[in-house]
Amino acid sequence: MIRFELGVDDLADTRFAISPAQETLFSLWVLRDPGMSAMHLPWRRSVIGELDALDIELLMALVGKTLALPDFLTPRPSGFAPSFEEQVAVIRATPAELVRRDLVLTHQGRLPQVFEDVRSASDARTQYWVDAICEVLRGYWEIALAPSWAKMRLVLEGDTTYRARQLAVGGARLLFADLNPFVEWQDGILRIDRMLGHHDVAASGRGLLLMPSIFAYKALTPLSADEAPWLAYPSRGVATLSAATTRTESASLVALLGQPRAVLLRMLDEPLPTIEIARRLEVTPSAVSQHLQVLHATNLVSRARDGRYLLYRRSALGDQLLG
């Protein structure tokens, strides 16, 4: 069990972020073991044949036998959604002693051949590994995640919008209660069960970073107790990446609204932008926008701006109509 000790200032500094570097590393679990998630098998099949030009031995050596990953390869985002290249620059600047520490921790001392002399490696040798890792991760990112990243990011942003609403409505207790079955908040301590390590981490004013993930299979924290607290967790809505939303609505609802608007109203139990709704329904954003305008004009949905997106959600009147 990992325990994060969070003070008042830490709770006030709890925020969300989206990390492309984290998702790149987490996706290696599915690449290594297709049995981990049937949901991601279509993605795996689409990329597995495109990786021949990469150093697969080095890429897979980043995953420990216990599925641990080096902390320095999942740097804590400084903003809400840094680019992959911004995070690679942070990785490349990691001090050599931290790189060696994380590789040893990841493999619990039983290092793969490519890293077998890591304990006694010079700083120059360590930097050589870091540069090679950055290059293989960049190549892997461009093949495996970059083509789908816009869709993945929309799912992750949808999760953060939902979590922010939980925090606003019920405070930290409701936020953490709804985050993951193995996460528990009590008396200023955030407990994360089913973890490889067992240690306590005092946030000590560093705050807590929460990161939804497409590929996480459980709640996850840094491997080292020296890292600032962050928690990655499985995102809501991941199944929508591989399946369009379909549902047969009641005859009376369809007669009143029409099939497209009835489907839209049913979907909007969480805030969603037009582009994500269109992706799920496999139609154009302009087609969705026309129906949303009608539903908004009749007060069946509400809308609010979140950054560059206009989010739509079913209103109380819409809830009554469905009920």
Side-chain angles (χ1 to χ4, degrees):
M1 176 185 291
I2 305 297
R3 292 159 38 105
F4 289 152
E5 301 173 10
L6 304 176
V8 175
D9 289 342
D10 299 308
L11 286 174
D13 195 25
T14 295
R15 62 183 179 87
F16 293 90
I18 294 170
S19 171
Q22 171 187 273
E23 292 304 279
T24 302
L25 265 293
F26 286 4
S27 71
L28 293 179
W29 290 322
V30 180
L31 198 65
R32 170 175 165 166
D33 182 3
M36 285 196 65
S37 175
M39 189 184 306
H40 294 310
L41 287 180
W43 168 84
R44 186 181 187 276
R45 285 193 294 267
S46 72
V47 304
I48 195 68
E50 305 296 322
L51 304 178
D52 293 343
L54 302 181
D55 186 342
I56 297 298
E57 181 184 6
L58 176 60
L59 189 65
M60 300 315 299
L62 302 177
V63 184
K65 290 184 178 180
T66 60
L67 302 183
L69 297 166
D71 286 338
F72 80 95
L73 293 179
T74 54
R76 183 182 171 100
S78 58
F80 174 68
S83 69
F84 178 77
E85 289 299 330
E86 287 172 336
Q87 292 196 285
V88 166
V90 174
I91 293 170
R92 201 181 292 275
T94 306
E97 63 271 17
L98 293 186
V99 174
R100 293 190 289 264
R101 178 204 70 180
D102 289 352
L103 290 175
V104 171
L105 281 175
T106 296
H107 294 283
Q108 297 183 329
R110 298 185 293 273
L111 292 156
Q113 185 175 1
V114 67
F115 297 132
E116 62 182 356
D117 59 340
V118 69
R119 292 184 183 87
S120 58
S122 65
D123 287 358
R125 175 64 173 167
T126 304
Q127 188 61 50
Y128 167 82
W129 278 327
V130 173
D131 291 340
I133 289 169
C134 287
E135 289 310 307
V136 75
L137 285 177
R138 179 182 284 111
Y140 175 63
W141 156 264
E142 290 174 354
I143 294 170
L145 277 87
S148 304
W149 183 245
K151 294 179 180 180
M152 291 181 178
R153 175 168 168 162
L154 280 173
V155 170
L156 297 173
E157 287 182 354
D159 180 276
T160 63
T161 300
Y162 170 81
R163 305 294 175 191
R165 184 173 183 273
Q166 293 294 90
L167 181 62
V169 171
R173 192 174 301 280
L174 180 58
L175 169 65
F176 294 129
D178 190 45
L179 202 65
N180 189 262
F182 302 122
V183 174
E184 179 186 13
W185 166 253
Q186 187 175 7
D187 300 329
I189 303 293
L190 187 65
R191 297 173 176 83
I192 306 97
D193 205 358
R194 304 288 181 91
M195 303 301 295
L196 293 176
H198 298 276
H199 52 252
D200 294 353
V201 178
S204 302
R206 294 176 292 178
L208 174 66
L209 187 62
L210 300 173
M211 293 182 285
S213 171
I214 300 295
F215 293 99
Y217 61 96
K218 65 174 183 177
L220 299 154
T221 67
L223 199 58
S224 170
D226 297 330
E227 296 294 317
W230 58 255
L231 177 66
Y233 60 90
S235 173
R236 291 164 51 91
V238 174
T240 64
L241 288 170
S242 57
T245 300
T246 57
R247 185 180 182 123
T248 302
E249 301 298 338
S250 67
S252 58
L253 190 63
V254 170
L256 178 64
L257 300 177
Q259 180 70 20
R261 292 170 192 164
V263 170
L264 275 176
L265 192 64
R266 180 76 66 179
M267 285 178 63
L268 292 173
D269 56 351
E270 61 177 316
L272 292 172
T274 303
I275 190 170
E276 170 62 7
I277 299 169
R279 185 192 66 76
R280 296 188 186 186
L281 294 176
E282 298 182 348
V283 297
T284 64
S286 60
V288 170
S289 181
Q290 295 173 17
H291 293 303
L292 287 174
Q293 289 176 17
V294 173
L295 292 174
H296 181 259
T298 53
N299 295 319
L300 293 176
V301 303
S302 58
R303 65 188 182 191
R305 183 162 296 279
D306 181 29
R308 59 195 179 98
Y309 294 113
L310 196 61
L311 302 180
Y312 290 85
R313 189 179 189 278
R314 193 169 59 240
S315 67
L317 181 61
D319 288 339
Q320 292 176 11
L321 182 61
L322 286 183

